[in-house]
Amino acid sequence: MIRQEFSRVDPKRRAALDHRKKQFATPAFQNVEYKHRLNFYATPPTADITLEQFEQWAIDRLRVLAELEACSFRNKSPAETATHMKPLLDKYLPLSSSTSGSTALQAERQKDHYSHFILRLAFASTEDLRRRFSRVESMLFRLRFQADDARERMAFVEGLNLEWETVSDEERREFAEELRAAGGGYPKRIEEESYFKVDWIRVPELVESRRVFLKAGKAYVPGREQLSMVVAEFTSRLDKALELTSRALPRLDEDDRLTPILTHLSQNFTTPDASYSSSATALPGADISARNIDTLSSSFPLCMQNLHRSLRRDAHLKHFGRLQYTLFLKGIGLNLEECLVFWRSSFSKITDDTFNKEYRYNVRHTYGDVGGDSNRRGGGYTPFSCQKILTEHPPGPGEAHGCPYRHFSIDNLTALLQNVGVKDQEVLRGVKEDKEKTKFHLACNRVFEYVHKQEIKKVRDDGTWGASQLETIVHPNEYFKRSYMLKNMSKSPIETEGDVKMED
């Protein structure tokens, strides 16, 4: 079939389109001078970067986009979103203005340029990913456009050559009443506002909200609505570019270095992955012991509370439940000796001999106390992130592991939430909507914010927590750490720096 398909193509045309020749041809340019802070990403980058840069730059941008999407799903206002995102943008994707005098200006803009195109490759494979990527990239562009220096912003827009037709004075006077009505009575003097005329499909946001006058397929857009026009143009161009990228993706299969990275990134758009760091999740001074687990469980995320409740009810957990829970307990700081005490006392219906023969070795192996050399050197396995819990080993009959927000029916999920103290109907409705939209980690964060609403308000108001402590939670151990710290703020000055980091 493949040979027949190629036989239909003219040999001369085939030679002209041979991507292998183009792939190794000298690129049209190498280094780009970035004149503006803003970018429409019209030109793909061609300069060399390392594989480490390729992956880390993409991960940093993904953190920003995932958090921006989370703000949207939580219905944060534009002002709240801008305030929430500023420290995260400064940390992961900074962009200095041209007048700042920053020595890192070109390096910052290069990272922004490259990371956009890397994620464009990662998210061009399916219509859903393309739509979501376009949406959050447009949100990011809007955020930056609004925050940009007015003079730099004007220079950027002028350089786009958007071919907006300026409405003449005569036409403004002719449609003065219509233009004023579309603007809600503004401006009082039509001469005080400049107008542009564009195809209405280029400004759907303005048409939908009835903020423009329409005539003969043209939208008469006031100058003050420049933001909507530019963002609409950005989105339109990006949508077309993503379609083209999706057609070119099959060629990337030849590069076995990039494909696994891109696949990993696209999976992380569902729930950003996080790696465990013992130093980042440590709670110095906390009583992390077998006798105290029942008390500590009030700060556990719902997945671990469900495991703990099941263990206390049945005096037993099946294999994946034991593994998920053991790794979590290891991550909160329970040492091997205490963990063995905890499991032995929890499995109260079996004898010491049965426990030692069937369960003791597995706990020690999880901690890296026994097993192969590599397992011992690495300290055993690391706690599962939300993504791993969501995507691997779904629970079967009689099993309690997994994520309740994903794996429970809405009735069982609601009952579990009510049993652990979440009775607010608005929160429960929000969780139901998050589940229906498959935003499981956002449902978990919604519950976290409800349970800790008073403490979160306090740390926001007094500024004692930075950007890391207010990011969307994507790891059960980070959930516990933040919950414990919030509930014990007045008891012990526990170190608040550090967070669970994105997988790299």
Side-chain angles (χ1 to χ4, degrees), residues 241-447:
L242 285 166
E243 284 289 342
L244 292 174
T245 303
S246 68
R247 297 174 198 169
L249 280 179
R251 301 181 201 165
L252 279 178
D253 291 342
E254 298 175 4
D255 194 331
D256 56 6
R257 299 170 304 163
L258 300 185
T259 302
I261 297 175
L262 296 175
T263 301
H264 180 67
L265 290 168
S266 65
Q267 291 173 345
N268 283 356
F269 209 16
T270 303
T271 302
D273 203 0
S275 61
Y276 163 75
S277 167
S278 59
S279 62
T281 55
L283 291 168
D287 180 13
I288 310 294
S289 60
R291 68 176 181 276
N292 203 33
I293 297 299
D294 286 332
T295 302
L296 294 174
S297 66
S298 65
S299 291
F300 290 179
L302 195 62
C303 54
M304 301 306 166
Q305 286 198 45
N306 182 54
L307 284 167
H308 187 75
R309 292 163 66 90
S310 299
L311 178 60
R312 287 292 179 250
R313 183 190 66 227
D314 303 331
H316 186 265
L317 285 176
K318 291 191 175 182
H319 171 73
F320 284 116
R322 295 196 306 273
L323 179 61
Q324 180 175 316
Y325 198 29
T326 300
L327 290 173
F328 171 78
L329 294 175
K330 175 185 175 184
I332 71 172
L334 191 69
N335 64 38
L336 174 57
E337 290 73 21
E338 288 291 319
C339 193
L340 287 168
V341 170
F342 170 76
W343 282 111
R344 178 64 198 97
S345 62
S346 298
F347 280 24
S348 56
K349 297 179 181 179
I350 63 174
T351 64
D352 286 344
D353 187 54
T354 300
F355 178 81
N356 290 334
K357 285 181 178 179
E358 298 184 16
Y359 302 106
R360 186 181 184 86
Y361 181 89
N362 286 338
V363 176
R364 293 178 62 201
H365 185 266
T366 300
Y367 274 76
D369 189 51
V370 293
D373 289 341
S374 60
N375 183 54
R376 289 199 296 272
R377 286 197 302 270
Y381 301 104
T382 57
F384 292 168
S385 67
C386 292
Q387 190 203 46
K388 192 176 183 70
I389 293 172
L390 283 166
T391 58
E392 297 184 14
H393 307 300
E399 294 183 308
H401 67 279
C403 171
Y405 298 104
R406 175 169 190 170
H407 298 119
F408 276 32
S409 69
I410 189 60
D411 290 339
N412 289 343
L413 175 60
T414 300
L416 178 59
L417 286 170
Q418 290 174 332
N419 286 336
V420 298
V422 181
K423 301 183 185 297
D424 187 287
Q425 290 302 310
E426 185 178 346
V427 174
L428 294 173
R429 278 195 299 271
V431 168
K432 181 175 183 291
E433 292 173 3
D434 292 334
K435 178 177 172 61
E436 289 171 349
K437 295 176 182 176
T438 70
K439 308 298 179 188
F440 309 113
H441 64 300
L442 295 185
C444 186
N445 278 268
R446 185 188 296 275
V447 170

Side-chain angles (χ1 to χ4, degrees), residues 11 83 115 119 155 180 187 193 208 237 254 260 310 366 391 495:
T83 301
S115 62
L119 292 189
R180 195 177 292 112
E193 181 71 271
E208 182 182 12
R237 294 190 186 187
E254 298 175 4
S310 299
T366 300
T391 58
E495 181 66 41

Side-chain angles (χ1 to χ4, degrees), residues 159-178:
L160 292 175
N161 298 318
L162 294 178
E163 299 178 355
W164 296 341
E165 182 182 346
T166 303
V167 176
S168 66
D169 292 341
E170 181 182 344
E171 202 169 3
R172 271 191 299 172
R173 287 192 293 270
E174 180 184 355
F175 300 116
E177 291 304 316
E178 290 88 346

Side-chain angles (χ1 to χ4, degrees), residues 67 74 271 386 441-442 444-445 448 469-480 482-483:
E67 195 66 27
R74 293 181 194 171
T271 302
C386 292
H441 64 300
L442 295 185
C444 186
N445 278 268
F448 180 90
Q469 283 74 42
L470 296 174
E471 280 187 65
T472 301
I473 298 171
V474 292
H475 199 293
N477 288 87
E478 179 65 17
Y479 186 110
F480 169 75
R482 291 194 205 176
S483 177

